[in-house]
Amino acid sequence: LIEAVGAREILDSRGNPTVEVEVLLDDGIVQRAAVPSGASTGAFEAYELRDGDKSRYGGKGVLKAVEAIIDELGPAIEGVEASEQRIVDEILIEVDGTENKKRVGANAILGVSLAVAKAAADSADLPLFRYLGGPNAHVLPVPLFNVINGGEHADNGIDMQEFFLAPVGAETYSEALRWGVETYHVLRAELKAAGYATGLGDEGGFAPDLPSNREGLDFLVKAIEKAGFTPGTDIALGLDVAATEFFKDGVYRLDNKDWDAAALTEYYVGLVNDFPIVTIEDALAEDDWDNWKHLTDALGSKVQLVGDDLFVTNPQRLADGIKRGVANSLLVKVNQIGTLTETFDAVSLAQRSGYTAMLSHRSGETEDTTIADLVVATNSGQIKAGAPARSERVAKYNQLLRIEEELGDAAVFAGRSAFPRSQA
Ligand code: PGA
Ligand code: ZN
């Protein structure tokens, strides 16, 4: 039984306040969870409550969320069985009482939801991935390393937010990790030799001031080859365009040019022809549904089209997208929706509908590694947790090494099968 719930304000990887929650069970178990925070946040995400008191942390404090946990959310679930995650999450949603968790904040609710799950797993003496996923949890994901950072995550001129290395040809997760790291280090040397800065962006990737987005893909291909791998077969590429960020009044502003959605779609078709790309996220803006449909018709059989700001891990928005035949993959961010139960509902809806699911960190992260366990619990086969640099990113990749070891012979690496539509 849940005996007590505590909370505090801690810092995330950008030095902004965030929520940490501790849950105590009546058997003496204590577990904690911390909440991540985005920068290129979708308009339809659950609400992140910040104090707005400019005299502390520029208004970004989370003391109101902490207070809501201690005064309202905690007392509401005390005495409830910690293993009844769905009931716990329903209570949290009810206490808030608003559509998008605006009153107490999705950051408050998520912290409690995750900490309860961790405490219940510990109490059952199970690793979190096993507790959440049951006996069939066994798939180790392809790690998508965001090695070039642009958009809202870096102060350079690159419009696209994330350039991924996806080591799909490795035999195991740990081999994929090594291939990604080796290529990441070669990429640094290549950028440096070409006269670019090699400082890091928010997600640990390099943030060079490249002249075009295409140039970023060229650098990835060069680095893969120089590191001794075959582009496409060993290591494929991916993009998170985060197009909502450069969409205004019906126009996309990319590479210093104005594009309509049809022209941009043609541009993506060209990229997929020229590069071994297996996944493109948020290629169009979060509300551009009709053009998303055209894009899906044009490219959906060749490449994974991921909805992030489009779906915001929301089962209702995803159901709408499935009905319209829009995109073919769900990005999964626990703080976009605010409870573990709703996150699982979104993932299972995706999987039942022939959509893939990619687990994701946020650009503002902590040392919490819950998403590593979640990707194995759901057998989703794909995770993006940034570059293999900066401890808040590496923490997730390291947790997957522990899970791989724990699973032993039962572990299966998702590899290329994680991207069923790719012709790369
Ligand atoms: P965010 O970026 O965490 O800043 O929203 C991640 C993403 O767009 O996938
Ligand atoms: Zn995204």
Side-chain angles (χ1 to χ4, degrees):
L1 301 182
I2 297 166
E3 189 160 299
V5 180
R8 65 172 65 86
E9 185 182 63
I10 62 165
L11 294 181
D12 75 11
S13 58
R14 273 191 285 250
N16 291 324
T18 191
V19 174
E20 179 170 88
V21 177
E22 269 167 15
V23 166
L24 166 71
L25 304 186
D26 66 345
D27 59 6
I29 296 281
V30 179
Q31 280 289 329
R32 70 166 67 107
V35 177
S37 174
S40 66
T41 311
F44 303 100
E45 296 193 19
Y47 191 77
E48 180 181 72
L49 185 67
R50 297 215 176 257
D51 297 339
D53 168 4
K54 295 276 185 226
S55 70
R56 297 186 71 251
Y57 292 118
K60 291 190 172 172
V62 293
L63 295 181
K64 284 182 186 164
V66 165
E67 199 179 282
I69 293 166
I70 293 167
D71 293 347
E72 296 190 61
L73 298 176
I77 58 167
E78 277 162 29
V80 177
E81 194 62 61
S83 61
E84 296 283 3
Q85 186 76 40
R86 194 166 280 271
I87 289 171
V88 167
D89 288 343
E90 276 168 13
I91 294 171
L92 299 175
I93 290 167
E94 254 172 53
V95 169
D96 174 75
T98 66
E99 183 67 27
N100 64 347
K101 306 184 175 68
K102 203 176 168 79
R103 196 177 70 77
V104 302
N107 42 346
I109 292 174
L110 180 69
V112 177
S113 182
L114 296 182
V116 166
K118 287 174 148 186
D122 194 1
S123 184
D125 208 13
L126 290 170
L128 185 60
F129 78 91
R130 178 65 72 206
Y131 167 75
L132 292 173
N136 194 40
H138 70 289
V139 177
L140 268 290
V142 173
L144 288 115
F145 299 109
N146 175 13
V147 293
I148 297 180
N149 295 181
E152 293 295 303
H153 295 168
D155 293 324
N156 54 12
I158 307 179
D159 311 298
M160 292 191 186
Q161 185 177 278
E162 306 174 16
F163 292 73
F164 302 113
L165 297 171
V168 294
E171 292 287 323
T172 61
Y173 166 76
S174 42
E175 187 174 51
L177 182 64
R178 177 172 63 79
W179 288 10
V181 169
E182 289 171 4
T183 307
Y184 176 75
H185 291 306
V186 172
L187 176 62
R188 175 195 212 101
E190 289 295 299
L191 288 169
K192 202 170 170 176
Y196 289 107
T198 54
L200 304 186
D202 284 358
E203 297 190 347
F206 305 112
D209 223 339
L210 300 178
S212 73
N213 294 282
R214 205 171 241 274
E215 192 80 14
L217 293 169
D218 281 330
F219 264 106
L220 296 197
V221 168
K222 250 187 302 186
I224 292 167
E225 285 170 345
K226 274 230 168 173
F229 303 109
T230 307
T233 324
D234 292 332
I235 304 183
L237 306 185
L239 293 169
D240 179 4
V241 180
T244 304
E245 302 299 324
F246 55 82
F247 178 69
K248 218 181 146 201
D249 302 328
V251 175
Y252 293 90
R253 183 81 189 166
L254 184 82
D255 283 344
N256 296 313
K257 278 181 287 201
D258 286 340
W259 307 67
D260 64 18
L264 195 54
T265 297
E266 275 317 298
Y267 168 79
Y268 293 134
V269 170
L271 290 185
V272 169
N273 283 335
D274 295 348
F275 295 97
I277 294 172
V278 291
T279 182
I280 306 179
E281 180 181 327
D282 280 356
L284 295 173
E286 61 198 356
D287 247 345
D288 202 357
W289 286 96
D290 291 341
N291 290 315
W292 258 103
K293 171 67 177 147
H294 298 147
L295 171 80
T296 310
D297 292 342
L299 268 178
S301 63
K302 292 188 187 154
V303 75
Q304 176 173 275
L305 296 171
V306 187
D308 170 14
D309 291 351
L310 179 70
F311 295 142
V312 291
T313 319
N314 184 318
Q316 278 157 21
R317 281 187 71 90
L318 175 63
D320 199 17
I322 291 167
K323 210 165 61 197
R324 298 184 194 220
V326 160
N328 54 35
S329 182
L330 171 73
L331 197 78
V332 182
K333 291 169 165 169
V334 283
N335 80 321
Q336 279 182 329
I337 187 68
T339 65
L340 202 49
T341 297
E342 291 163 289
T343 304
F344 272 101
D345 286 349
V347 172
S348 66
L349 175 60
Q351 291 175 339
R352 278 183 278 124
S353 309
Y355 279 46
T356 53
M358 182 192 295
L359 264 288
S360 172
H361 64 159
R362 296 308 300 248
S363 52
E365 266 294 338
T366 70
E367 57 273 36
D368 189 289
T369 58
T370 304
I371 60 166
D373 284 77
L374 265 184
V375 71
V376 180
T378 55
N379 289 324
S380 291
Q382 312 179 28
I383 189 170
K384 65 165 190 172
R390 301 181 47 142
S391 294
E392 78 281 5
R393 313 295 148 188
V394 168
K396 281 68 167 174
Y397 295 129
N398 286 343
Q399 174 68 359
L400 284 164
L401 287 173
R402 295 181 199 107
I403 295 174
E404 181 183 52
E405 186 182 306
E406 168 99 26
L407 280 168
D409 288 344
V412 171
F413 178 58
R416 182 164 292 277
S417 72
F419 306 93
R421 291 172 189 84
S422 96
Q423 298 174 358

